[in-house]
Amino acid sequence: MGQLSWIVVLPLLGFLVNGLLGNRFGPRFVSAVGCGLPLLAFAVALKSFFDLGAPNSALVETAYRWATIGDSTFDIAFYFDRLAAVMTLIVTGVGSLIHIYSIGYMKGDESYGRYFAYLNLFLFFMLMLVLGRSLLVLFVGWEGVGLASYLLIGF
């Protein structure tokens, strides 16, 4: 798995770990996972930004080939150029700060783990939206942001 995939997958791992194990291990574990993985995604995004090199260069990564129909392929692929780099750094950087702020904001809440799971899910879909190379990936990210927003607002 390449570095662009790691940027996207780390918040997804936070969602899965906090969603499945958050209530068992308590708020410290949830905070470490919920904030640590987005910060790690920010670090990988920063590394990817410095790996770009020339002004018109881009990193392209195919994570999964979803379907092949005739000569057409439908891939889950990520594209990282200067514009995507700026947006990725904003999403992971500001998202990490929001996660850190949420530690104090949600202190004492009985659904602490679920909140951080939803917040990580929102970050995952935002990164799918920003890094998606095709309309298929962009659409999944767009709809996922809507779902995660609904879950967070309903929280």
Side-chain angles (χ1 to χ4, degrees):
M1 185 167 14
Q3 61 190 16
L4 297 182
S5 293
W6 279 113
I7 294 170
V8 175
V9 167
L10 286 168
L12 180 63
L13 285 174
F15 164 71
L16 294 172
V17 170
N18 279 335
L20 296 173
L21 304 175
N23 289 338
R24 291 185 188 162
F25 294 110
R28 283 193 149 177
F29 175 79
V30 169
S31 298
V33 170
C35 296
L37 292 177
L39 282 169
L40 195 55
F42 176 72
V44 176
L46 204 56
K47 182 194 178 310
S48 299
F49 174 73
F50 289 119
D51 287 348
L52 276 178
N56 293 328
S57 65
L59 302 174
V60 179
E61 181 180 311
T62 301
Y64 179 73
R65 173 142 302 146
W66 184 54
T68 303
I69 301 171
D71 293 337
S72 301
T73 59
F74 299 96
D75 297 329
I76 307 299
F78 304 114
Y79 185 82
F80 192 81
D81 61 356
R82 297 271 180 204
L83 179 61
V86 169
M87 290 306 300
T88 302
L89 289 170
I90 289 171
V91 168
T92 56
V94 174
S96 295
L97 292 175
I98 292 168
H99 280 71
I100 292 167
Y101 174 80
S102 294
I103 292 172
Y105 183 75
M106 295 301 294
K107 186 176 182 178
D109 194 284
E110 64 184 42
S111 298
Y112 190 80
R114 184 170 53 109
Y115 174 79
F116 273 91
Y118 291 165
L119 210 52
N120 277 279
L121 184 66
F122 181 83
L123 195 60
F124 163 72
F125 282 124
M126 278 297 293
L127 290 168
M128 289 281 288
L129 179 66
V130 169
L131 293 174
R133 184 166 188 227
S134 66
L135 287 176
L136 173 68
V137 178
L138 179 130
F139 180 74
V140 169
W142 185 265
E143 292 300 319
V145 165
L147 169 68
S149 295
Y150 173 79
L151 292 171
L152 284 167
I153 291 168
F155 186 82

